[in-house]
Amino acid sequence: MIQLLATDIDGTLLDEHRFLSAQTLKAFQKVNYLPLILISARMPQAMYYLQDALQKKEMPIICYNGALVLNQQKQLHSTTIPFKDIEAIAQIALENNLHCSIYRGAEWFVPELDYWAQREENNTRVTPQVQALETTLAYFKETQQQGGAHKIMLMGDRDAMDHAFAKAGKLQSQLHLYRSKDTYTEISPMDISKKTALELLIKECFPEVQMQHVAAFGDNYNDVEMIAGVGHGVAVDNARDEVKAVAAYQTAHHKEHGVAQWIEMYL
């Protein structure tokens, strides 16, 4: 018995146009009676338009890989990267000529609207605030009482990223570094995960739901714990081997509407 659906977005739910296919929308309409939780490394504003399309805007969301959990405008949980670590990561980015995006809640700061920022803007339909990295660091230093960063994302040349990743690895006792692509490193607070965030959300909003009755969909390293932790973990065909290894089910590639195919088959 499935009581709740939870799904990653990029590489899992979206089609080749980075949107929800007609087949996916139809499949979710079929099971509209079930709670649907979007759970992603994205910021909230990059998730709301997908909730709108799914007619699930009233549902809570899990952002920044679990660092921020929201129920409508109510904050259920927030864990951030402290300023000293933001400053250290920014310095590593500068030394390696990497783009450095810094996120907090609805805020997204970039040093320039370069190739990387424009790519993310196109993918997420959110426009960043452009200002010098020094200005952003000063802002975070002055507003530490509001918390640090929910996420930092480094983007750039693969070789430079290799070097930066190795250097930033020295901070891994405080931070979680996740190499989503050769050219992308996503940095989050250490004590968060999609699984723990999902457990918290269920406890707060759906206390009648048990994790063994949750179906969760994912594709990448940051999905492994969640996929392993629910009763019905589903890996799309393009998922990392680590995800497939812990999944109870495997479905088609995200570009072939794998999530929709699983729903059509099992629900």
Side-chain angles (χ1 to χ4, degrees), residues 103-162:
Y103 299 81
R104 180 169 64 192
E107 300 173 308
W108 171 24
F109 300 97
V110 301
E112 59 180 314
L113 201 59
D114 57 9
Y115 165 80
W116 301 102
Q118 290 180 51
R119 181 174 177 174
E120 281 301 297
E121 181 180 33
N122 179 67
N123 290 344
T124 64
R125 305 190 183 187
V126 180
T127 298
Q129 181 171 333
V130 182
Q131 60 187 32
L133 188 54
E134 293 80 4
T135 303
T136 299
L137 290 174
Y139 169 69
F140 272 84
K141 186 175 183 179
E142 292 168 5
T143 59
Q144 291 183 66
Q145 72 278 3
Q146 298 178 28
H150 283 114
K151 185 177 79 168
I152 303 172
M153 188 154 64
L154 304 183
M155 295 175 280
D157 175 76
R158 182 181 63 183
D159 292 338
M161 191 66 72
D162 288 342

Short mmCIF file of all heavy atoms in Angstrom, two decimals, residues 103-162:
data_model
loop_
_atom_site.label_atom_id
_atom_site.label_comp_id
_atom_site.label_asym_id
_atom_site.label_seq_id
_atom_site.Cartn_x
_atom_site.Cartn_y
_atom_site.Cartn_z
N TYR A 103 23.45 30.21 -1.98
CA TYR A 103 21.99 30.20 -1.81
C TYR A 103 21.61 30.28 -0.33
O TYR A 103 22.23 29.66 0.52
CB TYR A 103 21.40 28.90 -2.35
CG TYR A 103 21.61 28.62 -3.81
CD1 TYR A 103 22.81 28.08 -4.27
CD2 TYR A 103 20.60 28.85 -4.73
CE1 TYR A 103 22.98 27.77 -5.62
CE2 TYR A 103 20.75 28.55 -6.07
CZ TYR A 103 21.95 28.02 -6.51
OH TYR A 103 22.12 27.72 -7.84
N ARG A 104 20.53 31.02 -0.06
CA ARG A 104 19.88 30.99 1.24
C ARG A 104 18.40 31.26 1.05
O ARG A 104 18.01 32.33 0.56
CB ARG A 104 20.47 32.03 2.20
CG ARG A 104 19.77 32.00 3.59
CD ARG A 104 20.48 32.82 4.64
NE ARG A 104 20.50 34.23 4.30
CZ ARG A 104 21.26 35.14 4.95
NH1 ARG A 104 22.05 34.76 5.93
NH2 ARG A 104 21.20 36.41 4.60
N GLY A 105 17.57 30.28 1.42
CA GLY A 105 16.14 30.46 1.24
C GLY A 105 15.79 30.82 -0.19
O GLY A 105 16.12 30.09 -1.13
N ALA A 106 15.14 31.97 -0.37
CA ALA A 106 14.75 32.42 -1.70
C ALA A 106 15.85 33.22 -2.40
O ALA A 106 15.65 33.71 -3.51
CB ALA A 106 13.49 33.28 -1.60
N GLU A 107 17.01 33.35 -1.77
CA GLU A 107 18.10 34.16 -2.31
C GLU A 107 19.12 33.30 -3.07
O GLU A 107 19.51 32.23 -2.61
CB GLU A 107 18.83 34.89 -1.19
CG GLU A 107 17.94 35.83 -0.39
CD GLU A 107 18.67 36.41 0.82
OE1 GLU A 107 19.24 35.62 1.60
OE2 GLU A 107 18.66 37.64 0.97
N TRP A 108 19.54 33.81 -4.22
CA TRP A 108 20.58 33.14 -5.03
C TRP A 108 21.51 34.23 -5.56
O TRP A 108 21.10 35.09 -6.32
CB TRP A 108 19.93 32.36 -6.17
CG TRP A 108 20.91 31.81 -7.18
CD1 TRP A 108 22.23 31.52 -7.00
CD2 TRP A 108 20.61 31.50 -8.55
NE1 TRP A 108 22.79 31.04 -8.16
CE2 TRP A 108 21.82 31.00 -9.12
CE3 TRP A 108 19.47 31.56 -9.34
CZ2 TRP A 108 21.89 30.59 -10.46
CZ3 TRP A 108 19.54 31.14 -10.66
CH2 TRP A 108 20.74 30.67 -11.21
N PHE A 109 22.77 34.18 -5.12
CA PHE A 109 23.76 35.18 -5.49
C PHE A 109 24.81 34.59 -6.43
O PHE A 109 25.34 33.50 -6.16
CB PHE A 109 24.46 35.72 -4.24
CG PHE A 109 23.53 36.36 -3.25
CD1 PHE A 109 23.07 35.64 -2.15
CD2 PHE A 109 23.11 37.67 -3.40
CE1 PHE A 109 22.22 36.22 -1.22
CE2 PHE A 109 22.26 38.26 -2.49
CZ PHE A 109 21.80 37.54 -1.40
N VAL A 110 25.12 35.33 -7.50
CA VAL A 110 26.18 34.93 -8.43
C VAL A 110 27.10 36.13 -8.66
O VAL A 110 26.65 37.27 -8.63
CB VAL A 110 25.60 34.43 -9.77
CG1 VAL A 110 24.69 33.24 -9.56
CG2 VAL A 110 24.86 35.55 -10.51
N PRO A 111 28.40 35.87 -8.91
CA PRO A 111 29.32 36.98 -9.13
C PRO A 111 29.16 37.65 -10.49
O PRO A 111 29.51 38.82 -10.67
CB PRO A 111 30.70 36.33 -8.99
CG PRO A 111 30.46 34.89 -9.30
CD PRO A 111 29.08 34.58 -8.82
N GLU A 112 28.64 36.90 -11.45
CA GLU A 112 28.35 37.45 -12.78
C GLU A 112 27.38 36.53 -13.49
O GLU A 112 27.26 35.35 -13.14
CB GLU A 112 29.64 37.61 -13.60
CG GLU A 112 30.41 36.32 -13.81
CD GLU A 112 31.67 36.54 -14.63
OE1 GLU A 112 31.59 37.23 -15.66
OE2 GLU A 112 32.72 36.01 -14.23
N LEU A 113 26.68 37.04 -14.47
CA LEU A 113 25.73 36.24 -15.23
C LEU A 113 26.49 35.57 -16.38
O LEU A 113 26.30 35.86 -17.56
CB LEU A 113 24.58 37.11 -15.75
CG LEU A 113 23.29 36.37 -16.13
CD1 LEU A 113 22.73 35.61 -14.93
CD2 LEU A 113 22.25 37.35 -16.65
N ASP A 114 27.37 34.64 -15.98
CA ASP A 114 28.22 33.96 -16.95
C ASP A 114 27.51 32.73 -17.52
O ASP A 114 26.31 32.53 -17.30
CB ASP A 114 29.55 33.56 -16.28
CG ASP A 114 29.35 32.67 -15.05
OD1 ASP A 114 28.21 32.23 -14.80
OD2 ASP A 114 30.35 32.42 -14.34
N TYR A 115 28.25 31.91 -18.26
CA TYR A 115 27.69 30.71 -18.87
C TYR A 115 26.99 29.83 -17.84
O TYR A 115 25.89 29.33 -18.07
CB TYR A 115 28.79 29.93 -19.58
CG TYR A 115 28.43 28.51 -19.95
CD1 TYR A 115 27.67 28.23 -21.08
CD2 TYR A 115 28.82 27.44 -19.13
CE1 TYR A 115 27.32 26.93 -21.42
CE2 TYR A 115 28.48 26.14 -19.46
CZ TYR A 115 27.74 25.89 -20.59
OH TYR A 115 27.39 24.59 -20.91
N TRP A 116 27.63 29.66 -16.69
CA TRP A 116 27.12 28.75 -15.68
C TRP A 116 25.84 29.29 -15.03
O TRP A 116 24.88 28.55 -14.84
CB TRP A 116 28.20 28.49 -14.63
CG TRP A 116 29.43 27.91 -15.23
CD1 TRP A 116 30.60 28.57 -15.50
CD2 TRP A 116 29.61 26.57 -15.69
NE1 TRP A 116 31.49 27.72 -16.10
CE2 TRP A 116 30.91 26.49 -16.23
CE3 TRP A 116 28.80 25.44 -15.70
CZ2 TRP A 116 31.41 25.30 -16.77
CZ3 TRP A 116 29.29 24.26 -16.24
CH2 TRP A 116 30.59 24.20 -16.77
N ALA A 117 25.84 30.56 -14.72
CA ALA A 117 24.65 31.17 -14.13
C ALA A 117 23.48 31.15 -15.13
O ALA A 117 22.34 30.86 -14.75
CB ALA A 117 24.94 32.59 -13.70
N GLN A 118 23.77 31.45 -16.39
CA GLN A 118 22.72 31.45 -17.40
C GLN A 118 22.16 30.05 -17.61
O GLN A 118 20.96 29.86 -17.82
CB GLN A 118 23.26 31.99 -18.72
CG GLN A 118 23.55 33.48 -18.70
CD GLN A 118 24.07 33.99 -20.02
OE1 GLN A 118 23.49 33.74 -21.07
NE2 GLN A 118 25.19 34.71 -19.96
N ARG A 119 23.04 29.05 -17.52
CA ARG A 119 22.59 27.67 -17.67
C ARG A 119 21.64 27.29 -16.54
O ARG A 119 20.59 26.70 -16.76
CB ARG A 119 23.81 26.74 -17.69
CG ARG A 119 23.48 25.27 -17.88
CD ARG A 119 24.73 24.45 -18.04
NE ARG A 119 24.43 23.04 -18.15
CZ ARG A 119 25.33 22.10 -18.41
NH1 ARG A 119 26.59 22.44 -18.59
NH2 ARG A 119 24.98 20.83 -18.49
N GLU A 120 22.00 27.64 -15.31
CA GLU A 120 21.14 27.35 -14.17
C GLU A 120 19.84 28.14 -14.24
O GLU A 120 18.77 27.64 -13.89
CB GLU A 120 21.88 27.66 -12.86
CG GLU A 120 22.87 26.60 -12.45
CD GLU A 120 22.21 25.24 -12.25
OE1 GLU A 120 21.34 25.12 -11.35
OE2 GLU A 120 22.54 24.31 -13.00
N GLU A 121 19.93 29.38 -14.70
CA GLU A 121 18.73 30.20 -14.85
C GLU A 121 17.77 29.56 -15.84
O GLU A 121 16.56 29.49 -15.61
CB GLU A 121 19.12 31.60 -15.32
CG GLU A 121 17.95 32.55 -15.47
CD GLU A 121 18.39 33.94 -15.94
OE1 GLU A 121 19.37 34.01 -16.70
OE2 GLU A 121 17.76 34.92 -15.52
N ASN A 122 18.30 29.05 -16.93
CA ASN A 122 17.49 28.39 -17.94
C ASN A 122 16.88 27.10 -17.40
O ASN A 122 15.71 26.79 -17.66
CB ASN A 122 18.34 28.09 -19.18
CG ASN A 122 17.55 27.39 -20.27
OD1 ASN A 122 16.64 27.95 -20.87
ND2 ASN A 122 17.90 26.13 -20.53
N ASN A 123 17.67 26.35 -16.63
CA ASN A 123 17.20 25.06 -16.12
C ASN A 123 16.16 25.20 -15.02
O ASN A 123 15.26 24.36 -14.90
CB ASN A 123 18.38 24.24 -15.58
CG ASN A 123 19.30 23.76 -16.68
OD1 ASN A 123 18.95 23.77 -17.86
ND2 ASN A 123 20.49 23.33 -16.30
N THR A 124 16.28 26.25 -14.20
CA THR A 124 15.43 26.35 -13.01
C THR A 124 14.37 27.46 -13.08
O THR A 124 13.52 27.54 -12.20
CB THR A 124 16.29 26.60 -11.77
OG1 THR A 124 16.95 27.88 -11.89
CG2 THR A 124 17.35 25.52 -11.60
N ARG A 125 14.45 28.31 -14.11
CA ARG A 125 13.50 29.41 -14.29
C ARG A 125 13.55 30.43 -13.15
O ARG A 125 12.54 31.05 -12.82
CB ARG A 125 12.07 28.87 -14.47
CG ARG A 125 11.93 27.86 -15.59
CD ARG A 125 10.49 27.54 -15.89
NE ARG A 125 10.38 26.52 -16.92
CZ ARG A 125 9.23 26.14 -17.48
NH1 ARG A 125 8.09 26.72 -17.12
NH2 ARG A 125 9.21 25.20 -18.40
N VAL A 126 14.71 30.55 -12.55
CA VAL A 126 14.93 31.54 -11.49
C VAL A 126 16.07 32.45 -11.92
O VAL A 126 17.09 31.98 -12.44
CB VAL A 126 15.28 30.87 -10.15
CG1 VAL A 126 15.50 31.93 -9.07
CG2 VAL A 126 14.18 29.90 -9.73
N THR A 127 15.91 33.75 -11.69
CA THR A 127 16.96 34.72 -12.04
C THR A 127 17.75 35.07 -10.78
O THR A 127 17.16 35.46 -9.76
CB THR A 127 16.34 35.99 -12.63
OG1 THR A 127 15.65 35.64 -13.84
CG2 THR A 127 17.42 37.01 -12.96
N PRO A 128 19.07 34.92 -10.82
CA PRO A 128 19.88 35.21 -9.63
C PRO A 128 20.12 36.69 -9.43
O PRO A 128 19.89 37.50 -10.34
CB PRO A 128 21.20 34.50 -9.95
CG PRO A 128 21.32 34.60 -11.45
CD PRO A 128 19.91 34.47 -11.96
N GLN A 129 20.58 37.03 -8.23
CA GLN A 129 21.04 38.39 -7.96
C GLN A 129 22.52 38.44 -8.28
O GLN A 129 23.31 37.67 -7.73
CB GLN A 129 20.80 38.76 -6.49
CG GLN A 129 21.24 40.18 -6.16
CD GLN A 129 20.80 40.61 -4.77
OE1 GLN A 129 19.80 40.12 -4.25
NE2 GLN A 129 21.54 41.52 -4.16
N VAL A 130 22.92 39.35 -9.14
CA VAL A 130 24.30 39.45 -9.60
C VAL A 130 25.02 40.53 -8.80
O VAL A 130 24.61 41.69 -8.78
CB VAL A 130 24.38 39.78 -11.10
CG1 VAL A 130 25.83 39.84 -11.57
CG2 VAL A 130 23.59 38.75 -11.92
N GLN A 131 26.10 40.14 -8.12
CA GLN A 131 26.93 41.10 -7.39
C GLN A 131 28.28 40.45 -7.12
O GLN A 131 28.43 39.23 -7.16
CB GLN A 131 26.26 41.53 -6.08
CG GLN A 131 25.99 40.41 -5.11
CD GLN A 131 25.19 40.85 -3.89
OE1 GLN A 131 24.35 41.75 -3.97
NE2 GLN A 131 25.44 40.23 -2.75
N ALA A 132 29.27 41.27 -6.86
CA ALA A 132 30.62 40.76 -6.61
C ALA A 132 30.61 39.78 -5.44
O ALA A 132 29.85 39.93 -4.48
CB ALA A 132 31.56 41.93 -6.30
N LEU A 133 31.47 38.76 -5.53
CA LEU A 133 31.54 37.76 -4.48
C LEU A 133 31.87 38.41 -3.13
O LEU A 133 31.34 38.01 -2.09
CB LEU A 133 32.59 36.70 -4.84
CG LEU A 133 32.67 35.47 -3.95
CD1 LEU A 133 31.33 34.78 -3.80
CD2 LEU A 133 33.72 34.49 -4.49
N GLU A 134 32.72 39.42 -3.15
CA GLU A 134 33.07 40.12 -1.91
C GLU A 134 31.84 40.77 -1.27
O GLU A 134 31.69 40.78 -0.05
CB GLU A 134 34.13 41.19 -2.20
CG GLU A 134 35.49 40.64 -2.63
CD GLU A 134 35.54 40.24 -4.10
OE1 GLU A 134 34.54 40.45 -4.82
OE2 GLU A 134 36.59 39.71 -4.52
N THR A 135 30.95 41.30 -2.11
CA THR A 135 29.72 41.92 -1.62
C THR A 135 28.81 40.88 -0.98
O THR A 135 28.21 41.11 0.08
CB THR A 135 28.98 42.63 -2.77
OG1 THR A 135 29.85 43.60 -3.37
CG2 THR A 135 27.72 43.32 -2.27
N THR A 136 28.71 39.73 -1.63
CA THR A 136 27.89 38.64 -1.08
C THR A 136 28.44 38.15 0.24
O THR A 136 27.69 37.93 1.20
CB THR A 136 27.80 37.48 -2.09
OG1 THR A 136 27.19 37.94 -3.29
CG2 THR A 136 27.00 36.32 -1.52
N LEU A 137 29.76 38.01 0.33
CA LEU A 137 30.37 37.57 1.59
C LEU A 137 30.13 38.58 2.71
O LEU A 137 29.82 38.20 3.84
CB LEU A 137 31.87 37.34 1.39
CG LEU A 137 32.26 36.14 0.52
CD1 LEU A 137 33.77 36.12 0.30
CD2 LEU A 137 31.80 34.83 1.14
N ALA A 138 30.24 39.85 2.38
CA ALA A 138 29.98 40.89 3.38
C ALA A 138 28.53 40.84 3.86
O ALA A 138 28.25 41.00 5.05
CB ALA A 138 30.30 42.26 2.80
N TYR A 139 27.62 40.57 2.92
CA TYR A 139 26.19 40.48 3.27
C TYR A 139 25.94 39.31 4.23
O TYR A 139 25.24 39.45 5.23
CB TYR A 139 25.37 40.32 1.99
CG TYR A 139 23.93 39.95 2.22
CD1 TYR A 139 23.03 40.84 2.79
CD2 TYR A 139 23.46 38.69 1.84
CE1 TYR A 139 21.70 40.50 3.00
CE2 TYR A 139 22.14 38.34 2.05
CZ TYR A 139 21.26 39.24 2.62
OH TYR A 139 19.96 38.89 2.83
N PHE A 140 26.53 38.16 3.93
CA PHE A 140 26.34 37.00 4.79
C PHE A 140 26.99 37.20 6.16
O PHE A 140 26.46 36.74 7.17
CB PHE A 140 26.88 35.73 4.12
CG PHE A 140 25.87 35.04 3.24
CD1 PHE A 140 25.67 35.44 1.93
CD2 PHE A 140 25.10 34.00 3.74
CE1 PHE A 140 24.73 34.82 1.13
CE2 PHE A 140 24.15 33.37 2.95
CZ PHE A 140 23.96 33.78 1.64
N LYS A 141 28.10 37.91 6.18
CA LYS A 141 28.76 38.19 7.46
C LYS A 141 27.88 39.09 8.33
O LYS A 141 27.75 38.88 9.55
CB LYS A 141 30.12 38.84 7.22
CG LYS A 141 30.93 39.04 8.49
CD LYS A 141 32.31 39.58 8.17
CE LYS A 141 33.15 39.72 9.44
NZ LYS A 141 34.52 40.24 9.13
N GLU A 142 27.26 40.06 7.69
CA GLU A 142 26.41 41.02 8.42
C GLU A 142 25.09 40.41 8.86
O GLU A 142 24.46 40.91 9.81
CB GLU A 142 26.13 42.24 7.53
CG GLU A 142 27.36 43.10 7.24
CD GLU A 142 27.11 44.10 6.13
OE1 GLU A 142 25.95 44.19 5.67
OE2 GLU A 142 28.06 44.80 5.74
N THR A 143 24.65 39.36 8.19
CA THR A 143 23.32 38.79 8.46
C THR A 143 23.41 37.37 9.02
O THR A 143 22.53 36.54 8.78
CB THR A 143 22.45 38.80 7.20
OG1 THR A 143 23.10 38.01 6.17
CG2 THR A 143 22.23 40.21 6.69
N GLN A 144 24.47 37.10 9.76
CA GLN A 144 24.66 35.75 10.28
C GLN A 144 23.53 35.31 11.20
O GLN A 144 23.28 34.11 11.35
CB GLN A 144 26.00 35.66 11.02
CG GLN A 144 27.21 35.76 10.11
CD GLN A 144 28.51 35.61 10.87
OE1 GLN A 144 28.82 34.55 11.40
NE2 GLN A 144 29.30 36.68 10.90
N GLN A 145 22.84 36.25 11.82
CA GLN A 145 21.73 35.89 12.70
C GLN A 145 20.59 35.24 11.92
O GLN A 145 19.75 34.55 12.50
CB GLN A 145 21.22 37.11 13.47
CG GLN A 145 20.45 38.13 12.64
CD GLN A 145 21.35 39.08 11.86
OE1 GLN A 145 22.57 38.97 11.89
NE2 GLN A 145 20.73 40.03 11.18
N GLN A 146 20.55 35.45 10.59
CA GLN A 146 19.54 34.82 9.75
C GLN A 146 19.96 33.41 9.31
O GLN A 146 19.20 32.72 8.62
CB GLN A 146 19.27 35.69 8.52
CG GLN A 146 18.72 37.07 8.84
CD GLN A 146 18.52 37.90 7.59
OE1 GLN A 146 18.29 37.38 6.50
NE2 GLN A 146 18.60 39.22 7.75
N GLY A 147 21.17 33.02 9.69
CA GLY A 147 21.71 31.75 9.25
C GLY A 147 22.69 31.93 8.10
O GLY A 147 22.82 33.03 7.54
N GLY A 148 23.41 30.86 7.79
CA GLY A 148 24.38 30.92 6.70
C GLY A 148 23.75 30.55 5.37
O GLY A 148 22.61 30.92 5.08
N ALA A 149 24.49 29.80 4.56
CA ALA A 149 24.01 29.39 3.24
C ALA A 149 23.37 28.01 3.31
O ALA A 149 23.90 27.11 3.96
CB ALA A 149 25.16 29.38 2.24
N HIS A 150 22.25 27.83 2.64
CA HIS A 150 21.66 26.51 2.54
C HIS A 150 22.43 25.64 1.54
O HIS A 150 22.43 24.40 1.68
CB HIS A 150 20.19 26.60 2.10
CG HIS A 150 19.28 27.01 3.20
ND1 HIS A 150 18.60 28.22 3.21
CD2 HIS A 150 18.94 26.39 4.36
CE1 HIS A 150 17.87 28.30 4.31
NE2 HIS A 150 18.06 27.22 5.03
N LYS A 151 23.06 26.29 0.57
CA LYS A 151 23.83 25.54 -0.43
C LYS A 151 24.83 26.46 -1.09
O LYS A 151 24.58 27.66 -1.27
CB LYS A 151 22.90 24.94 -1.50
CG LYS A 151 23.63 24.05 -2.51
CD LYS A 151 22.67 23.42 -3.51
CE LYS A 151 22.26 24.37 -4.62
NZ LYS A 151 21.57 23.68 -5.74
N ILE A 152 25.98 25.90 -1.44
CA ILE A 152 26.95 26.58 -2.30
C ILE A 152 27.18 25.65 -3.49
O ILE A 152 27.33 24.44 -3.32
CB ILE A 152 28.28 26.85 -1.58
CG1 ILE A 152 28.05 27.68 -0.32
CG2 ILE A 152 29.27 27.55 -2.52
CD1 ILE A 152 29.28 27.84 0.55
N MET A 153 27.21 26.22 -4.67
CA MET A 153 27.47 25.40 -5.85
C MET A 153 28.64 25.97 -6.64
O MET A 153 28.63 27.16 -7.02
CB MET A 153 26.23 25.30 -6.74
CG MET A 153 26.39 24.32 -7.89
SD MET A 153 24.82 23.63 -8.46
CE MET A 153 24.00 25.10 -9.06
N LEU A 154 29.65 25.13 -6.85
CA LEU A 154 30.79 25.48 -7.68
C LEU A 154 30.59 24.87 -9.06
O LEU A 154 30.22 23.70 -9.17
CB LEU A 154 32.08 24.97 -7.07
CG LEU A 154 32.39 25.40 -5.63
CD1 LEU A 154 33.76 24.86 -5.20
CD2 LEU A 154 32.36 26.91 -5.48
N MET A 155 30.86 25.66 -10.10
CA MET A 155 30.73 25.17 -11.46
C MET A 155 31.91 25.65 -12.28
O MET A 155 32.38 26.78 -12.09
CB MET A 155 29.42 25.68 -12.08
CG MET A 155 28.17 25.15 -11.40
SD MET A 155 26.62 25.85 -12.04
CE MET A 155 26.57 27.42 -11.18
N GLY A 156 32.39 24.79 -13.20
CA GLY A 156 33.49 25.21 -14.04
C GLY A 156 34.26 24.06 -14.64
O GLY A 156 33.79 22.91 -14.66
N ASP A 157 35.45 24.36 -15.13
CA ASP A 157 36.31 23.41 -15.81
C ASP A 157 36.54 22.15 -14.95
O ASP A 157 36.77 22.25 -13.74
CB ASP A 157 37.65 24.09 -16.11
CG ASP A 157 38.67 23.14 -16.71
OD1 ASP A 157 38.54 22.82 -17.90
OD2 ASP A 157 39.57 22.70 -15.95
N ARG A 158 36.52 20.98 -15.59
CA ARG A 158 36.63 19.72 -14.86
C ARG A 158 37.95 19.59 -14.09
O ARG A 158 37.96 19.17 -12.94
CB ARG A 158 36.49 18.54 -15.82
CG ARG A 158 36.54 17.17 -15.13
CD ARG A 158 36.42 16.04 -16.13
NE ARG A 158 37.55 16.04 -17.06
CZ ARG A 158 37.66 15.19 -18.09
NH1 ARG A 158 36.70 14.31 -18.33
NH2 ARG A 158 38.71 15.24 -18.88
N ASP A 159 39.06 19.94 -14.74
CA ASP A 159 40.35 19.82 -14.06
C ASP A 159 40.45 20.77 -12.87
O ASP A 159 40.96 20.40 -11.81
CB ASP A 159 41.50 20.08 -15.05
CG ASP A 159 41.61 18.98 -16.11
OD1 ASP A 159 41.12 17.86 -15.84
OD2 ASP A 159 42.17 19.25 -17.18
N ALA A 160 39.97 21.98 -13.06
CA ALA A 160 39.96 22.94 -11.96
C ALA A 160 39.06 22.44 -10.84
O ALA A 160 39.36 22.60 -9.65
CB ALA A 160 39.49 24.31 -12.45
N MET A 161 37.94 21.80 -11.21
CA MET A 161 37.02 21.26 -10.21
C MET A 161 37.67 20.12 -9.44
O MET A 161 37.46 19.98 -8.22
CB MET A 161 35.73 20.78 -10.88
CG MET A 161 34.62 20.45 -9.89
SD MET A 161 34.02 21.92 -9.01
CE MET A 161 33.12 22.75 -10.32
N ASP A 162 38.44 19.30 -10.12
CA ASP A 162 39.16 18.21 -9.44
C ASP A 162 40.04 18.78 -8.33
O ASP A 162 40.06 18.27 -7.21
CB ASP A 162 40.04 17.44 -10.43
CG ASP A 162 39.25 16.57 -11.40
OD1 ASP A 162 38.07 16.28 -11.10
OD2 ASP A 162 39.81 16.18 -12.44
#
